[in-house]
């Protein structure tokens, strides 16, 4: 699993054990899990997705670690809230980019919007995933373990080429100073390639950090990609300067990408593929936003 998922699961294990007064999970079983899930839904009022994440973490704990099958867990489910996404207008998008810091911040924000990427997908781009010859970007192992291919925005091609050139300078400095440049690659794949993938230029990050750091999985020093926190800061700063009175997150750029494609007449199935959604029902949420923005339902106030 991803490192973030591992961290979330461990966090849920700790909360579960603390809730039950530090009793061992083997002594709790299905009743303990059901009690904890009810507590999250009824007392903590967590979202349905949060409760599901807790349940999946505990299922993994019992099945994979303790080798015990949970039977008869019938907890109260958290209420699923139907929320419509926040979408920026084209004018707001333009103003946001005008106020973004020139260089890497501007490029990253434009890339997230221009390709409809999740922020993690943009940050994890590797050199081999940027195909300048065919003008496309490859998202590898996205949400749900799926790959997809996206058209590269023509207006970003030159900036992306410059960024890859900057990344090559960092790669070469690592080789000169440390004898090699290491990045994270799935352990099984790197073992199969006898360590060559994690040391190769093709697998290097397009957006590497300026400093190397210790990989918490194996304790070895490697070069990581820039962190999500940096993107959040760039976005918040640009939104504040642009005086956008909406809660602007990286995912809002993805929502705006999908809605603006719908406005341009792109069919919803194509947008589903571009976003990497499992079901078209997930993509259809943008049709509700589009109808409101288009003013298809006229207010009776305007006829008075």
């Amino acid at each position: 699993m991803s490192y973030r998922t591992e961290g979330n699961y461990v966090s849920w294990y700790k909360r579960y054990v603390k809730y039950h007064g530090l009793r061992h999970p083997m002594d709790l079983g299905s009743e303990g899990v059901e009690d904890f899930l009810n507590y999250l839904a009824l007392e903590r009022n967590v979202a349905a997705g949060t409760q599901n994440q807790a349940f999946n973490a505990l299922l993994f704990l019992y099945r994979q670690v303790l080798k015990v099958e949970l039977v008869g867990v019938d907890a109260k489910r958290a209420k699923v809230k139907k929320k419509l996404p926040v979408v920026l207008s084209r004018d707001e998008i333009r103003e946001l980019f005008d106020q973004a810091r020139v260089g890497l911040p501007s490029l990253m924000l434009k890339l997230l919007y221009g390709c409809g990427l999740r922020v993690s997908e943009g940050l994890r781009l590797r050199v081999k995933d940027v195909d300048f010859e065919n003008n496309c970007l490859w998202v590898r192992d996205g949400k749900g373990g799926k790959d997809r291919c996206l058209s590269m925005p023509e207006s970003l091609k030159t900036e992306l080429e410059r960024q890859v050139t900057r990344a090559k300078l960092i790669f070469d400095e690592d080789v000169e100073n440390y004898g090699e440049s290491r990045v994270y690659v799935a352990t099984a794949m790197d073992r199969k390639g006898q360590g060559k993938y994690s040391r190769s230029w093709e697998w290097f990050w397009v957006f590497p950090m300026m400093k190397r750091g210790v990989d918490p999985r194996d304790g070895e020093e490697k070069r990581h990609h820039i962190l999500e926190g940096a993107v959040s800061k760039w976005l918040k700063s640009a939104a504040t300067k642009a005086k956008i009175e909406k809660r602007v997150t990286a995912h809002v750029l993805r929502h705006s990408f999908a809605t603006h494609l719908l406005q341009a007449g792109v069919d919803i199935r194509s947008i589903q593929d571009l976003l990497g959604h499992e079901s078209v029902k997930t993509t259809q949420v943008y049709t509700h936003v589009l109808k409101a923005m288009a003013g298809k339902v006229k207010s009776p106030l305007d006829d008075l």
Side-chain angles (χ1 to χ4, degrees):
M1 296 183 176
S2 71
Y3 184 70
R4 171 178 286 182
T5 301
E6 290 181 10
N8 287 335
Y9 276 20
V10 170
S11 176
W12 280 118
Y13 302 158
K14 291 179 179 179
R15 292 173 66 176
Y16 176 62
V17 171
K18 287 180 180 178
Y19 172 75
H20 285 292
L22 303 183
R23 292 173 61 193
H24 195 282
M26 284 292 286
D27 299 330
L28 299 170
S30 299
E31 291 184 1
V33 172
E34 185 175 316
D35 186 27
F36 181 64
L37 294 177
N38 285 336
Y39 159 74
L40 293 178
L42 302 177
E43 296 187 38
R44 300 297 298 174
N45 295 315
V46 301
T50 303
Q51 189 192 41
N52 286 334
Q53 185 186 73
F55 186 38
N56 289 333
L58 297 178
L59 275 179
F60 188 90
L61 171 66
Y62 279 94
R63 288 178 178 175
Q64 306 299 330
V65 181
L66 302 177
K67 306 301 181 183
V68 174
E69 192 67 29
L70 292 176
V71 180
V73 177
D74 187 25
K76 298 290 183 182
R77 308 307 290 173
K79 186 177 180 179
V80 178
K81 299 177 181 178
K82 295 182 179 180
K83 294 183 178 180
L84 292 179
V86 175
V87 174
L88 301 181
S89 68
R90 283 184 167 81
D91 287 340
E92 287 174 323
I93 288 288
R94 278 190 285 268
E95 186 62 25
L96 184 74
F97 293 158
D98 286 344
Q99 298 300 328
R101 213 171 74 217
V102 177
L104 183 56
S106 175
L107 172 59
M108 178 56 71
L109 300 189
K110 289 178 181 177
L111 186 65
L112 295 180
Y113 169 75
C115 294
L117 297 173
R118 299 177 179 91
V119 64
S120 60
E121 293 170 345
L123 295 175
R124 292 202 310 254
L125 280 175
R126 299 180 191 263
V127 173
K128 66 181 181 61
D129 300 328
V130 184
D131 187 347
F132 292 110
E133 291 295 324
N134 295 308
N135 294 319
C136 63
L137 296 174
W138 288 90
V139 174
R140 302 292 186 183
D141 196 25
K143 190 174 182 179
K146 294 176 293 185
D147 293 354
R148 66 186 193 275
C149 184
L150 304 169
S151 297
M152 182 188 300
E154 187 65 34
S155 58
L156 289 185
K157 188 172 182 179
T158 300
E159 289 185 66
L160 276 172
E161 287 176 334
R162 289 174 182 158
Q163 178 58 33
V164 171
T165 299
R166 286 193 288 267
K168 186 64 165 66
L169 292 174
I170 294 175
F171 178 86
D172 290 341
E173 284 180 8
D174 279 355
V175 173
E176 182 178 348
N177 296 331
Y178 304 100
E180 63 179 14
S181 186
R182 293 273 324 266
V183 295
Y184 169 76
V185 173
T187 305
M189 176 173 287
D190 204 37
R191 187 188 304 121
K192 183 178 179 181
Q194 298 180 335
K196 68 179 181 180
Y197 295 125
S198 61
R199 295 171 172 80
S200 69
W201 162 239
E202 291 78 12
W203 284 79
F204 198 69
W205 308 115
V206 174
F207 301 104
M209 291 188 71
M210 296 306 296
K211 294 182 179 180
R212 286 160 60 105
V214 174
D215 188 333
R217 290 176 183 255
D218 56 21
E220 295 184 16
E221 191 176 78
K222 299 175 184 176
R223 180 76 62 173
H224 197 55
H225 57 67
I226 59 176
L227 304 179
E228 289 188 22
V231 179
S232 297
K233 289 180 181 178
W234 299 336
L235 193 53
K236 183 177 180 180
S237 174
T240 300
K241 292 178 181 177
K243 299 180 180 179
I244 298 175
E245 297 177 346
K246 298 176 181 176
R247 184 173 179 268
V248 183
T249 65
H251 221 65
V252 167
L253 298 180
R254 178 174 160 89
H255 294 324
S256 303
F257 163 84
T259 306
H260 294 166
L261 285 181
L262 271 177
Q263 284 180 320
V266 179
D267 67 278
I268 198 163
R269 290 287 183 180
S270 297
I271 297 174
Q272 176 192 355
D273 292 337
L274 291 172
L275 295 176
H277 286 162
E278 183 72 28
S279 169
V280 72
K281 289 183 179 180
T282 308
T283 317
Q284 284 174 341
V285 69
Y286 299 110
T287 62
H288 299 295
V289 180
L290 186 61
K291 288 177 182 178
M293 292 174 67
K296 289 189 176 181
V297 180
K298 188 177 180 181
S299 171
L301 178 65
D302 296 333
D303 294 326
L304 296 180

